[in-house]
Amino acid sequence: MLPHTYVEVTDGNFAIEVQEKSKTVPVVVDFWAPWCGPCRVLGPIIEKVAEENHGKVVLAKLNTDENPKVAALFRIQGIPAVKAFKDGKVIAEFTGAYPEPQVRAFFEKVVGAPAIRVTQDADDHLRAGNVDAAEAGYRAILAKQPSQPDALVGLAAILAGKGETAAAEDLLDRAPTDRRAKILKHRIFLNGFAEKHAGEDLESAAEANPRNPRDRYRWGVMLAAREQYEDALDELVESVRIDRTFADGAARKAMLAIFDILGLDSEVTKDYQRRLSGALF
């Protein structure tokens, strides 16, 4: 997030910064407190989505510990609590650490239409194969909005494709809550592993040494690099069963990366989560 992309409101300025301002632009208020764990989860998400809707909505944040009058006025009983104001009145609200898709849907409801994708022109250049123009477009966006997730991921993908993996990973580190960024980081690792071990017969090594956690792990990662995820998970879970502590839990971490790629709702993920749990416990 850029500095000051949200306004901190208090008991003293709430009427002006929220209720009055909402007569010209919708204002979304995040009621939070420093000790609240779910608030720390929701905070980066709601800030990112608000930034994507820059100009169409204002994000305000109110610390309920320091501003009990407003919290009491709006009957805040659980936090994080989020309320959207328009024309001085609450028009939508939710309580709890909603995941990003639901937060995005909430903002779309408040704004009245889906947010305009700020990377549209750069995305169009990329689809047309004009990589240089796409890269320039993403860089221009990031010069103004350094945390814009679509531009971060788009530029990182271009740099990764050019072999500039360190620069790509630096960009992805700036979007830690974005699933696309996590997946791209996993793909960068897998592609690098495949290139490094391209001349080795990892399959034969795993077959010759079925009780060696290193050989099973290495062949599993190679299979993942080839997007043969179920076969990869078979090898990796066996590595965990043989020695869960091998290389600081490398096989377990590799399985978690594949779960990220496949998605937590995937039936394959659910199946191998159970198998991993059985291997660990």
Side-chain angles (χ1 to χ4, degrees):
M1 286 291 295
L2 287 165
H4 308 302
T5 52
Y6 60 83
V7 58
E8 294 183 1
V9 294
T10 66
D11 286 343
N13 68 7
F14 190 89
I16 295 174
E17 293 292 342
V18 176
Q19 292 170 303
E20 282 300 314
K21 184 171 288 185
S22 72
K23 295 178 181 179
T24 57
V25 61
V27 180
V28 173
V29 183
D30 176 15
F31 294 83
W32 72 287
W35 51 264
C36 169
C39 297
R40 292 193 294 272
V41 173
L42 178 65
I45 297 173
I46 199 169
E47 290 165 25
K48 181 176 77 169
V49 176
E51 184 179 8
E52 293 172 7
N53 285 273
H54 181 68
K56 294 185 175 184
V57 67
V58 171
L59 175 64
K61 305 192 78 166
L62 182 137
N63 183 328
T64 58
D65 284 355
E66 297 178 354
N67 301 281
K69 292 182 180 179
V70 170
L73 178 64
F74 289 96
R75 300 178 182 178
I76 304 300
Q77 298 179 333
I79 53 175
V82 178
K83 296 182 184 292
F85 289 76
K86 189 173 183 179
D87 296 326
K89 300 178 181 179
V90 176
I91 59 168
E93 58 190 308
F94 69 85
T95 301
Y98 274 23
E100 185 173 327
Q102 289 177 259
V103 173
R104 196 177 301 281
F106 177 83
F107 271 78
E108 290 176 359
K109 178 181 177 182
V110 170
V111 170
I116 296 174
R117 189 177 179 88
V118 298
T119 58
Q120 188 64 60
D121 289 344
D123 296 340
D124 288 344
H125 284 306
L126 191 60
R127 281 191 289 269
N130 193 343
V131 177
D132 290 342
E135 179 176 344
Y138 292 134
R139 290 188 184 280
I141 292 166
L142 291 173
K144 296 180 179 179
Q145 301 182 53
S147 298
Q148 212 291 326
D150 297 326
L152 286 170
V153 174
L155 179 57
I158 289 174
L159 296 180
K162 295 164 64 174
E164 300 176 30
T165 55
E169 289 179 327
D170 286 343
L171 290 170
L172 297 174
D173 286 339
R174 288 157 54 184
T177 63
D178 193 294
R179 180 171 179 264
R180 297 167 302 172
K182 291 177 67 176
I183 291 173
L184 184 51
K185 287 191 75 172
H186 295 327
R187 289 304 322 173
I188 289 172
F189 167 76
L190 292 172
N191 291 341
F193 183 93
E195 291 178 10
K196 180 178 180 180
H197 300 284
E200 301 176 45
D201 189 352
L202 301 185
E203 181 178 12
S204 294
E207 291 176 349
N209 304 288
R211 297 298 301 167
N212 186 310
R214 178 175 179 271
D215 289 333
R216 301 298 292 269
Y217 163 77
R218 281 155 54 93
W219 177 227
V221 174
M222 182 63 80
L223 287 167
R226 297 174 182 176
E227 300 186 10
Q228 297 173 235
Y229 295 121
E230 289 192 62
D231 291 339
L233 289 167
D234 282 335
E235 294 297 319
L236 293 168
V237 77
E238 286 305 316
S239 178
V240 173
R241 287 195 179 102
I242 296 164
D243 183 359
R244 72 184 71 177
T245 66
F246 163 71
D248 194 27
R252 177 185 62 83
K253 293 174 183 177
M255 292 185 72
L256 296 179
I258 295 174
F259 295 161
D260 283 339
I261 292 171
L262 295 177
L264 297 182
D265 292 333
S266 163
E267 292 303 318
V268 173
T269 295
K270 293 176 183 178
D271 180 18
Y272 282 91
Q273 281 177 326
R274 290 190 290 269
R275 299 193 197 187
L276 176 59
S277 179
L280 289 171
F281 307 107

